[in-house]
Amino acid sequence: MQPTDRFNFAEHLFALNRGRPAKTAYVDDHGALGYGQLEERARRLGAALLASGLQPGERVLLLMLDGNDWPVSFLGSLYAGIVPVAVNTLLTAADYAYMLEHSGASAALVSGALLPVLQEAMNAGPQQVRQLFVSRPVGALPPTAQNLEAAIESHPPLPAPAPTTAADHAFWLYSSGSTGKPKGTVHTHANPWWTAELFGKPVLQLTEDDVCFSAAKMYFAYGLGNALTFPLTVGATVLLMAERPTPDATFKRWTGQAPAAADRAPLRPTVFFGAPTGFAGMLAHPALPAREAVALRMCSSAGEALPGEIAQRFKQHFGCDIVDGIGSTEMLHVFISNRPDDIRYGTTGKPVEGYTIELRGENGTPVGVGEVGDLYIHGPSSAVMYWGNPEKSAETFQDGWTKSGDKYSRDADGYYTYAGRSDDMLKVSGIYVSPFEVEATLMQHPAVLEAAVIGKEDGDGLTKTKAYVVLKDGRTAGDDELKAFVKERLAPYKYPRFIEFVEELPKTATGKIQRFRLREREKQ
């Protein structure tokens, strides 16, 4: 049954789980939160937000580390009809000043550890933030702030959800900025419902017995689905981690060594949500756990295409498949994916049922089998707009279709294979070259940890491929060796004419390689 006109996504999730109030919904490094507690605390916070003077439809900045207060804050805002603007916790004060001004947020929900950088942003920008709610404050609070816990405890739960509709603005997410300035992407109350019904339940097949753990944080579209929408739709348990998802921190959670309450047995995730960069780093790490030390039954990957070599090595070690897919902030979650029972490594799989995919050439018409085209998506979870950016909105959201900015090809069996970003594709000797294909080949070399490929003009002004390469600790490889390695596996014109070894690659906080920064470096 589709969402009706009167629909509030927070109330929808609460209603689904009222039969399991004692079931653990979330566990963070400080304790557990049952489904009944989650609803009560969210509704109390919703009352506190309204009591502070916020009106339904107003925006509130959500700048929090992953922990039990994050879903309480997000769902409490939705329940009250207030629009949370979830933002990355790794940004600068200048970034937050921009987001405050751009969103017009008049209040903020913030982790105590992040309060100083937010205060710096508030002092630097024109946007007036009337009220701060601080989770786990560190030290004295400024006059405009109150302890989030005290605010929750001092208000009775809202008796009913805000009378929102399925089409009303529910929350914002900012694009990760892999190709430039972040854009405020506006989603409705119905959009997360669609991602759960079309992808979460039928593709991932989560159950209430699963323990979900997402390396992608909840302020990302991918992480929001992994750690809130999908598990809460089926009554599963979610393990949250405030710190960065380094291999050591991830392994600690996988093996049940994370902090736990004295009366609670350690939890080991059954489903892990990661990204290609993270999987590559973990496989190269000397502390990689043994298969019998983990309880993983399935892993998911998104963010950028997963090289088949990484997926195969992971499967060999853990006996666990990585289900690779592609989603976007604009579409909220995955719309092309492999399936647990239908995985073709090296491809992104097939369209998720409910989404229509087109690959279009430069003239706007569909391309044939095996040809590379621009990826367009038609589906019910598409964002409404980029806030305050009609030019970019019109460029991306076209008559019900969303232009992803990715290039893909489709084979005769209907599987889609990533060919790079539209602005990353290279034309070498008049032929398109996918940077990802060259990168994936380089990463098959035993000494290579990561690689990023861009175009570089040679002495004749012609575009050739250049690879930036990060080697594994303790390993060595030379230019000629890597060039020969690629030549043996790809068409000769695709091998990188130039190779530069670097300590690390520029990335967004999600782990996406920022090739535009490498291009800027070449111009200097």
Side-chain angles (χ1 to χ4, degrees):
M1 182 182 296
Q2 298 182 14
T4 58
D5 286 342
R6 182 62 58 86
F7 183 76
N8 182 286
F9 185 64
E11 167 61 18
H12 165 70
L13 292 180
F14 296 154
L16 288 176
N17 292 293
R18 285 183 182 135
R20 52 172 73 90
K23 171 76 187 295
T24 300
Y26 287 98
V27 179
D28 66 8
D29 290 347
H30 303 283
L33 191 65
Y35 272 99
Q37 294 172 301
L38 173 65
E39 177 178 355
E40 180 180 352
R41 288 175 63 80
R43 290 170 64 175
R44 285 178 178 271
L45 178 59
L49 293 174
L50 294 175
S52 74
L54 284 169
Q55 299 295 315
E58 281 195 272
R59 271 84 64 195
V60 56
L61 196 79
L62 176 51
L63 175 60
M64 279 189 177
L65 302 171
D66 274 22
N68 293 344
D69 283 341
W70 205 106
V72 167
S73 298
F74 183 82
L75 294 172
S77 300
L78 264 61
Y79 194 85
I82 293 164
V83 179
V85 179
V87 297
N88 190 325
T89 60
L90 301 175
L91 303 180
T92 66
D95 293 318
Y96 297 133
Y98 164 75
M99 291 173 176
L100 283 170
E101 181 180 7
H102 180 251
S103 68
S106 49
L109 296 149
V110 59
S111 293
L114 301 172
L115 180 58
V117 69
L118 180 61
Q119 287 182 288
E120 184 181 345
M122 291 164 56
N123 293 334
Q127 179 61 25
Q128 296 299 307
V129 179
R130 301 193 305 266
Q131 185 65 58
L132 296 172
F133 296 86
V134 185
S135 170
R136 300 192 173 277
V138 180
L141 293 176
T144 57
Q146 57 180 302
N147 187 312
L148 180 73
E149 185 63 33
I152 290 172
E153 293 297 327
S154 62
H155 290 84
L158 280 178
T164 52
T165 71
D168 280 342
H169 295 182
F171 59 94
W172 292 21
L173 300 171
Y174 273 92
S175 65
S176 60
S178 59
T179 57
K181 203 168 187 63
K183 299 176 286 293
T185 312
V186 182
H187 282 285
T188 68
H189 278 269
N191 285 2
W193 184 92
W194 282 111
T195 64
E197 293 301 312
L198 297 179
F199 179 73
K201 291 199 289 189
V203 176
L204 295 180
Q205 300 175 19
L206 300 180
T207 74
E208 63 180 338
D209 296 325
D210 277 313
V211 177
C212 299
F213 175 41
S214 176
K217 300 300 185 180
M218 298 176 79
Y219 49 75
F220 296 122
Y222 181 48
L224 182 65
N226 304 339
L228 189 143
T229 303
F230 302 158
L232 267 57
T233 295
V234 299
T237 296
V238 183
L239 186 62
L240 295 177
M241 178 177 74
E243 63 187 296
R244 291 178 59 245
T246 62
D248 282 329
T250 300
F251 297 158
K252 187 185 298 183
R253 272 74 185 178
W254 279 7
T255 56
Q257 299 177 53
D263 61 345
R264 177 177 298 278
L267 288 175
R268 291 191 302 167
T270 60
V271 181
F272 174 72
F273 301 87
T277 299
F279 285 114
M282 288 186 288
L283 285 170
H285 199 278
L288 185 71
R291 179 186 297 200
E292 58 271 17
V294 305
L296 298 172
R297 69 169 184 83
M298 182 181 67
C299 291
S300 167
S301 179
E304 55 187 347
L306 176 72
E309 186 263 346
I310 290 176
Q312 289 169 337
R313 286 200 289 128
F314 192 92
K315 176 70 177 288
Q316 289 169 359
H317 184 86
F318 288 109
C320 172
D321 281 313
I322 301 177
V323 179
D324 185 33
I326 180 177
S328 67
T329 305
E330 291 77 10
M331 295 304 297
L332 192 55
H333 215 277
V334 169
F335 46 80
I336 300 176
S337 182
N338 285 274
R339 272 69 167 172
D341 59 351
D342 182 12
I343 293 179
R344 185 171 293 189
Y345 290 136
T347 80
T348 311
K350 296 179 178 179
V352 172
E353 187 173 351
Y355 294 93
T356 303
I357 305 299
E358 281 191 4
L359 301 182
R360 301 178 186 175
E362 293 180 1
N363 60 0
T365 60
V367 301
V369 170
E371 297 181 40
V372 173
D374 292 308
L375 177 65
Y376 286 77
I377 314 101
H378 190 285
S381 64
S382 176
V384 177
M385 68 177 100
Y386 296 132
W387 184 266
N389 197 335
E391 182 179 341
K392 278 291 184 182
S393 293
E395 181 183 320
T396 300
F397 306 108
Q398 304 177 10
D399 297 323
W401 291 88
T402 299
K403 182 179 181 180
S404 74
D406 296 296
K407 283 189 178 288
Y408 263 81
S409 64
R410 183 186 69 256
D411 67 19
D413 295 327
Y415 293 88
Y416 285 72
T417 299
Y418 182 65
R421 291 286 299 176
S422 297
D423 49 6
D424 289 334
M425 287 294 289
L426 306 174
K427 221 169 191 178
V428 179
S429 301
I431 306 172
Y432 274 119
V433 174
S434 163
F436 179 79
E437 184 181 28
V438 182
E439 291 162 6
T441 303
L442 282 165
M443 288 172 63
Q444 294 174 23
H445 190 283
V448 175
L449 177 63
E450 292 181 307
V453 172
I454 62 168
K456 173 183 172 67
E457 288 190 356
D458 63 12
D460 296 322
L462 299 174
T463 298
K464 304 297 183 185
T465 48
K466 175 174 180 177
Y468 285 84
V469 173
V470 180
L471 296 177
K472 296 176 182 176
D473 288 341
R475 304 300 294 266
T476 60
D479 286 35
D480 292 341
E481 178 183 351
L482 293 183
K483 290 176 181 178
F485 185 84
V486 175
K487 282 182 182 179
E488 292 172 1
R489 290 159 177 80
L490 296 179
Y493 68 87
K494 294 183 179 181
Y495 85 92
R497 274 31 172 215
F498 312 97
I499 293 179
E500 182 174 340
F501 295 95
V502 293
E503 293 295 322
E504 61 181 4
L505 299 173
K507 299 172 186 172
T508 68
T510 56
K512 293 181 182 178
I513 296 169
Q514 294 177 310
R515 294 179 186 83
F516 75 96
R517 295 201 181 281
L518 296 175
R519 289 193 291 268
E520 291 172 354
R521 175 172 170 169
E522 288 296 323
K523 296 176 182 177
Q524 295 174 355

